[in-house]
């Protein structure tokens, strides 16, 4: 074993707990423990061991690795996350990249709103990649919005409330890009999800109703009130639910379906006619 290798016993413990990438996870947990201050703020070997054991115990109990570490890699960003929030997936990078592209095409100061934002992965990427953008994010969960505000780092605003209810009314009819990874897991399918999601992420961030499209329908019904002429609404969905998401788009709006097999992402894009 080299000095860079995690302890074999730790790897074995994680593997026994069902961690497929046990070696990689062990290395990340060791690094995270070393970054945590010990009691009194003074680093010590004993403190590092205690910190590592605390992190490993949480991971072995089934908590997502990302919330144990306190961060998740997303489209080149390191986003803060914590226990009890929805962890952004790689598939949502397609949604984020598309939002960035359409925001850039909308002019020097586009208005971008991420609904059902969670920790605001899309809004955070837009804020970084489109400096002139006016970025807003909203979510029903105040814990998630707290993380969203940290991730936006004063480059946008995050609001607590249902869908677009908390967004400033002055933005109605002015939004260039309305974007959402709204919950789209059918209610009965939640029980079949991996324990990391089923037991550790809020069901409100997963549950899309009987067919998985209830929240999408509610959001898409609001789009004509908020999106300007020529603007877009983007919704992440699954391959099997694409037809349902398309059908929920506002009547008369041209619709495009984007797919990225590399990240397993599917996005429905509807444009308000100019």
């Amino acid at each position: 074993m080299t000095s860079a290798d995690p302890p074999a016993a730790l790897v074995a413990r994680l593997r026994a707990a069902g961690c497929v990438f046990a070696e990689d996870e062990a290395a990340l947990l060791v690094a995270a423990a070393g970054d945590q201050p010990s009691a009194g703020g003074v680093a010590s070997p004993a403190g590092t061991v205690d910190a590592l054991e605390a992190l490993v115990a949480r991971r072995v109990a089934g908590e997502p690795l990302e919330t144990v570490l306190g961060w998740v890699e997303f489209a080149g960003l390191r986003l803060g996350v914590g226990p009890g929030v929805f962890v952004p997936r790689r598939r949502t990078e397609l949604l984020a990249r598309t939002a960035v592209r359409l925001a850039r095409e909308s002019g020097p100061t586009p208005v971008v709103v991420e609904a059902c934002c969670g920790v605001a992965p899309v809004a955070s990427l837009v804020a970084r990649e489109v400096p002139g953008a006016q970025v807003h994010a909203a979510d029903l969960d105040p814990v998630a919005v707290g993380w969203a505000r940290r991730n936006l780092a004063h480059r946008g605003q995050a609001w607590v409330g249902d869908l677009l209810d908390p967004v400033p009314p002055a933005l109605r009819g002015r939004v260039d890009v309305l974007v959402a990874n709204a919950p789209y897991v059918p209610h009965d399918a939640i029980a079949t999800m991996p324990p990391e999601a089923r037991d550790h992420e809020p069901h409100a961030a997963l549950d899309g109703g009987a067919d998985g499209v209830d929240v999408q329908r509610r959001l898409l019904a609001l789009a004509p009130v908020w999106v300007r002429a020529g603007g877009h609404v983007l919704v992440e969905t699954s391959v099997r639910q694409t037809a349902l998401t398309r059908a929920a788009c506002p009547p008369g709006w041209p619709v495009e379906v984007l797919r990225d097999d590399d990240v397993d992402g599917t996005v429905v894009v509807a444009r308000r006619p100019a």
Side-chain angles (χ1 to χ4, degrees), residues 62 64 192-201:
T192 68
M193 296 184 72
E196 288 183 358
R198 184 181 68 234
D199 299 336
H200 294 274
E201 293 182 317

Side-chain angles (χ1 to χ4, degrees), residues 5-22:
D5 291 329
L10 172 56
V11 174
R13 185 177 173 192
L14 292 170
R15 186 174 291 116
C19 301
V20 176
F21 302 103

Side-chain angles (χ1 to χ4, degrees), residues 3-257:
S3 60
D5 291 329
L10 172 56
V11 174
R13 185 177 173 192
L14 292 170
R15 186 174 291 116
C19 301
V20 176
F21 302 103
E23 291 86 354
D24 293 337
E25 292 199 14
L28 288 168
L29 290 167
V30 169
D35 289 340
Q36 295 191 8
S38 303
V42 179
S44 71
T48 299
V49 170
D50 290 343
L52 178 60
E53 175 55 31
L55 296 177
V56 172
R58 290 168 59 189
R59 181 63 182 129
V60 168
E63 185 176 337
L65 175 67
E66 294 84 0
T67 60
V68 174
L69 296 175
W71 55 269
V72 59
E73 291 284 352
F74 180 86
L77 298 174
R78 179 173 284 197
L79 299 174
V81 294
V85 303
F86 179 81
V87 177
R89 274 60 159 174
R90 276 205 69 204
R91 65 175 66 96
T92 303
E93 291 182 5
L94 173 62
L95 184 70
R97 293 196 308 266
T98 306
V100 167
R101 173 174 61 81
L102 293 175
R104 286 172 172 164
E105 294 173 358
S106 298
T109 57
V111 177
V112 179
V113 176
E114 182 181 8
C116 305
C117 71
V119 303
V122 177
S124 296
L125 188 68
V126 170
R128 187 189 73 174
E129 298 294 326
V130 190
Q134 302 174 48
V135 178
H136 296 263
D139 197 280
L140 193 61
D141 180 6
V143 175
V145 171
W147 286 104
R149 287 170 178 156
R150 294 182 185 94
N151 290 327
L152 285 167
H154 306 294
R155 295 172 298 180
Q157 294 178 280
W159 312 90
V160 178
D162 184 42
L163 295 181
L164 301 175
D165 285 353
V167 177
L171 296 182
R172 290 176 182 168
R174 296 180 48 218
V175 176
D176 294 282
V177 180
L178 173 59
V179 56
N181 177 17
Y184 59 89
V185 179
H187 177 79
D188 290 344
I190 291 177
T192 68
M193 296 184 72
E196 288 183 358
R198 184 181 68 234
D199 299 336
H200 294 274
E201 293 182 317
H203 282 199
L206 305 172
D207 193 341
D211 62 2
V213 187
D214 283 359
V215 183
Q216 293 181 358
R217 290 189 183 98
R218 291 179 56 220
L219 177 67
L220 288 164
L222 296 172
V225 176
W226 292 86
V227 177
R228 68 164 177 82
H232 296 81
V233 57
L234 294 64
V235 178
E236 180 176 310
T237 192
S238 70
V239 171
R240 66 179 178 276
Q241 291 163 303
T242 298
L244 293 173
T245 305
R246 287 191 67 138
C249 291
W253 291 31
V255 177
E256 179 183 12
V257 177

